Amino acid sequence: MIIFPAIDLKEGQCVRLIEGRMDSATVYSHDPGSTARAWEEQGAEFIHVVDLDGAFAGQPRNRESIIQIVQAVRVPVQVGGGVRDLETVADLLAIGVNRVILGSAAILNPDMVAEACQRYGDRVLVGIDARDGMVAIQGWGETVQRTAQDLALEVKSMGITRIVFTDIRRDGKLSGPNLAATGELARASGLKVIASGGVSSLEDIQAVKDLESDGVEGAIMGKALYAGAVKLPDALVIARGEG
């Protein structure tokens, strides 16, 4: 299982939010490149980046910070937040991003998602963010009448093989991930699933790892790492089955 340290970008700074609310931002670093390098030095195999300003604006707002991160590390980087067109996908891949995450576009422009899959294969993921089981888009500001499971099956038909699933109610609150919903989504969709939202302890990491046979292949960690509740090397021991 892969542990993805998260770098959430707001105005060029590394922050964490609670339930995606921009007014709840806590700044952890003013240097995204150094933050990414620190995670790599602690053993990270993949970095997860979210352009928060981009998610709300509908187009990337932290491109320079993303370039800093990509250039600072040797491990692959995946990026989401405000990616709504093929030009943005192509640009992110061109600057060295390994995988691009499409979120709201899966609802607003499914034809673009299908085209991105056709062009770039598994370098394109879909992020499915749910509040009480229903999909939220536009920086989590709008909830649509579509369940996470329905959307997962739809994007699978477009060619998507991997999704990031976030339970918004758990995000940034250190309250534990929604294991039941994550496992159910993986089993029902047959997609590879990366769990996000609320992973806050070594016990949580073990619980997510226990879902590997269902198709859950990773966990994104943010606040727990930044707050020191979990040390990345300890998390990696469990994720690799060495504990």
Side-chain angles (χ1 to χ4, degrees):
M1 185 177 88
I2 299 173
I3 300 291
F4 297 80
I7 297 177
D8 289 1
L9 298 172
K10 182 177 185 287
E11 298 171 359
Q13 302 178 115
C14 303
V15 305
R16 293 303 297 166
L17 307 183
I18 297 174
E19 293 187 12
R21 300 196 312 272
M22 290 293 256
D23 61 359
S24 70
T26 299
V27 176
Y28 284 103
S29 169
H30 300 283
D31 188 339
S34 293
T35 301
R37 194 178 306 111
W39 293 135
E40 181 183 46
E41 289 170 353
Q42 292 181 47
E45 300 167 343
F46 224 117
I47 305 291
H48 175 81
V49 178
V50 179
D51 182 339
L52 293 172
D53 302 299
F56 284 88
Q59 56 185 331
R61 286 286 190 263
N62 287 279
R63 186 176 185 273
E64 292 307 311
S65 295
I66 293 168
I67 291 173
Q68 288 175 27
I69 291 168
V70 169
Q71 293 180 347
V73 297
R74 296 179 300 277
V75 297
V77 176
Q78 63 184 27
V79 174
V83 185
R84 307 283 169 85
D85 54 55
L86 289 169
E87 292 75 17
T88 302
V89 175
D91 178 63
L92 287 169
L93 294 176
I95 63 176
V97 171
N98 181 266
R99 298 197 304 215
V100 176
I101 303 165
L102 304 175
S104 300
I107 294 288
L108 302 174
N109 193 355
D111 289 344
M112 187 277 284
V113 176
E115 177 65 21
C117 282
Q118 192 170 1
R119 290 191 191 185
Y120 304 112
D122 61 7
R123 297 188 72 184
V124 176
L125 294 69
V126 163
I128 297 180
D129 306 324
R131 183 184 288 111
D132 302 323
M134 304 304 289
V135 173
I137 61 172
Q138 310 279 40
W140 297 355
E142 177 185 345
T143 303
V144 298
Q145 292 304 305
R146 196 83 56 87
T147 68
Q149 196 170 121
D150 286 344
L151 182 57
L153 292 172
E154 286 174 30
V155 299
K156 182 180 181 180
S157 72
M158 299 173 197
I160 289 290
T161 61
R162 178 179 286 107
I163 59 175
V164 175
F165 174 62
T166 304
D167 185 313
I168 295 169
R169 297 288 189 202
R170 310 293 181 105
D171 191 66
K173 298 175 74 174
L174 301 181
S175 58
N178 190 332
L179 296 165
T182 302
E184 183 181 356
L185 186 61
R187 291 189 297 272
S189 67
L191 294 168
K192 298 170 185 175
V193 176
I194 299 169
S196 176
V199 180
S200 58
S201 68
L202 296 178
E203 290 76 17
D204 288 342
I205 294 162
Q206 182 61 59
V208 174
K209 185 168 177 61
D210 290 342
L211 297 174
E212 266 190 309
S213 60
D214 292 327
V216 179
E217 65 170 17
I220 293 167
M221 297 191 70
K223 188 173 183 179
L225 294 177
Y226 289 96
V230 174
K231 299 289 190 290
L232 181 58
D234 296 337
L236 292 170
V237 167
I238 294 174
R240 293 167 180 160
E242 299 166 355

